[in-house]
């Protein structure tokens, strides 16, 4: 069954507010080849029912582990030589997010054509992040009211659906069940739902998700009329009816 919660109890992750340079603080240059050091104030929002200190410590440790093993040093930012986490940093709540805001899960189907035969879709996490980052930028610059955006539930490959491989060089086509969570302090209207869906579709149509991070992906397409929004009082055990 599908769930809006991960095994850690996190319901959604939001990269807002944006990280900021702290111009009034300095740090020491210690690595060979480094010519400058910048102090950043990192900020991230986790929507979770667990507000314990243990949960906060575990979340901070996850970031620290990524820094310690140089996960964030990549060809994307070749000028970065070393990242260190300041000890004892605190969590800051998302300024525009209200715990009483209603949460909605948007579900949509999309197809991915690749150059891999019998594709197992190992690229799915990377593609999902690209879609999330693209949508986050579009919503942050939108005049429509959104409080937060979450990448969970995770996108999954459908094993019982197929799609045509009709692009040059394509060897496989996978149907993906896309899912994301967003909150709003006001009612979710058809206009808001269509605005989110159109933003994702625009990115697919202009090939924003066909890039060097996933060179095996040749084409991404949104399935027409495939989206569904579950509302706050939606229960997965509720009876489902189709109105045509």
């Amino acid at each position: 069954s599908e769930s809006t919660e991960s095994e850690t109890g996190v319901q959604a992750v939001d990269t807002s507010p944006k990280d900021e340079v702290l111009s009034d603080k300095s740090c020491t240059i210690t690595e060979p080849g480094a010519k400058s050091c910048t102090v950043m104030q990192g900020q991230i929002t986790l929507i979770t029912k667990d507000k314990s200190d243990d949960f906060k410590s575990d979340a901070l440790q996850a970031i620290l582990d990524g820094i310690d093993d140089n996960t964030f040093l990549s060809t994307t930012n070749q000028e970065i030589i070393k990242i260190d986490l300041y000890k004892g940093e605190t969590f800051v709540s998302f300024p525009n997010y209200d715990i009483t805001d209603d949460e909605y899960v948007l579900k949509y189907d999309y197809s991915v054509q690749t150059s891999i035969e019998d594709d197992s879709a190992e690229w799915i996490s990377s593609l999902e992040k690209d879609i999330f980052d693209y949508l986050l930028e579009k919503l942050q610059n939108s005049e429509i009211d959104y409080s937060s955006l979450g990448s969970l539930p995770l996108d999954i490959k459908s094993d019982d659906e197929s799609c045509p491989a009709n692009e040059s060089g394509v060897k496989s086509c996978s149907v993906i069940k896309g899912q994301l969570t967003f909150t709003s302090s006001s009612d979710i209207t058809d206009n808001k739902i269509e605005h989110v869906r159109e933003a994702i579709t625009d990115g697919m149509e202009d090939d924003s998700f066909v890039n060097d991070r996933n060179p095996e992906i040749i084409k991404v397409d949104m399935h027409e009329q495939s989206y569904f929004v579950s509302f706050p009082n939606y229960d997965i055990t509720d009876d489902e009816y189709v109105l045509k």
Side-chain angles (χ1 to χ4, degrees):
S1 63
E2 295 171 346
S3 172
T4 56
E5 291 192 28
S6 70
E7 292 181 358
T8 60
V10 176
Q11 295 172 304
V13 177
D14 192 337
T15 57
S16 295
K18 292 182 178 180
D19 291 3
E20 298 177 347
V21 174
L22 297 182
S23 56
D24 59 340
K25 292 188 177 182
S26 62
C27 48
T28 305
I29 301 173
T30 59
E31 295 294 313
K35 296 182 179 180
S36 64
C37 186
T38 304
V39 178
M40 305 290 298
Q41 178 176 279
Q43 303 177 89
I44 191 169
T45 300
L46 304 176
I47 301 176
T48 176
K49 295 177 182 177
D50 186 355
K51 298 178 177 63
S52 67
D53 289 338
D54 286 343
F55 172 81
K56 294 178 181 179
S57 296
D58 289 344
L60 191 61
Q61 186 60 48
I63 298 173
L64 181 59
D65 290 344
I67 291 175
D68 286 345
D69 62 20
N70 292 329
T71 298
F72 310 124
L73 303 185
S74 64
T75 55
T76 306
N77 298 295
Q78 298 180 5
E79 66 274 18
I80 296 178
I81 297 174
K82 183 64 178 176
I83 301 175
D84 288 304
L85 185 69
Y86 275 27
K87 300 298 186 294
E89 290 293 272
T90 57
F91 280 74
V92 180
S93 61
F94 190 60
N96 298 323
Y97 177 73
D98 190 318
I99 197 67
T100 62
D101 286 352
D102 286 336
E103 182 178 281
Y104 304 85
V105 178
L106 175 66
K107 302 182 181 183
Y108 58 97
D109 294 352
Y110 60 99
S111 58
V112 181
Q113 299 184 55
T114 70
S115 58
I116 303 174
E117 289 189 33
D118 300 322
D119 196 350
S120 60
E122 293 183 2
W123 38 259
I124 192 168
S125 294
S126 178
L127 175 58
E128 181 177 18
K129 183 180 184 303
D130 280 352
I131 294 174
F132 176 80
D133 290 344
Y134 176 90
L135 182 59
L136 182 62
E137 180 180 356
K138 295 296 181 182
L139 296 191
Q140 283 180 326
N141 296 325
S142 168
E143 295 180 356
I144 299 180
D145 166 44
Y146 299 97
S147 299
S148 72
L149 177 70
S151 59
L152 298 178
L154 297 176
D155 291 6
I156 57 175
K157 180 182 178 181
S158 174
D159 293 328
D160 55 2
E161 296 178 77
S162 61
C163 49
N166 53 20
E167 294 286 326
S168 176
V170 168
K171 296 182 179 179
S172 295
C173 186
S174 302
V175 175
I176 305 300
K177 299 291 187 181
Q179 304 177 93
L180 56 88
T181 303
F182 61 96
T183 59
S184 177
S185 58
S186 59
D187 291 340
I188 295 297
T189 61
D190 290 343
N191 184 38
K192 284 187 179 180
I193 297 170
E194 187 59 25
H195 181 256
V196 174
R197 182 182 182 276
E198 283 184 354
I200 300 172
T201 302
D202 288 346
M204 293 179 178
E205 290 180 346
D206 65 17
D207 289 334
S208 294
F209 312 125
V210 178
N211 50 52
D212 293 339
R213 287 185 294 279
N214 300 295
E216 64 271 34
I217 294 178
I218 295 175
K219 186 64 178 175
V220 183
D221 291 301
M222 177 73 80
H223 284 197
E224 290 298 325
Q225 303 300 324
S226 63
Y227 63 95
F228 166 76
V229 173
S230 61
F231 293 89
N233 58 353
Y234 176 77
D235 190 320
I236 197 66
T237 61
D238 288 348
D239 288 336
E240 187 171 284
Y241 302 89
V242 177
L243 177 64
K244 296 184 179 180

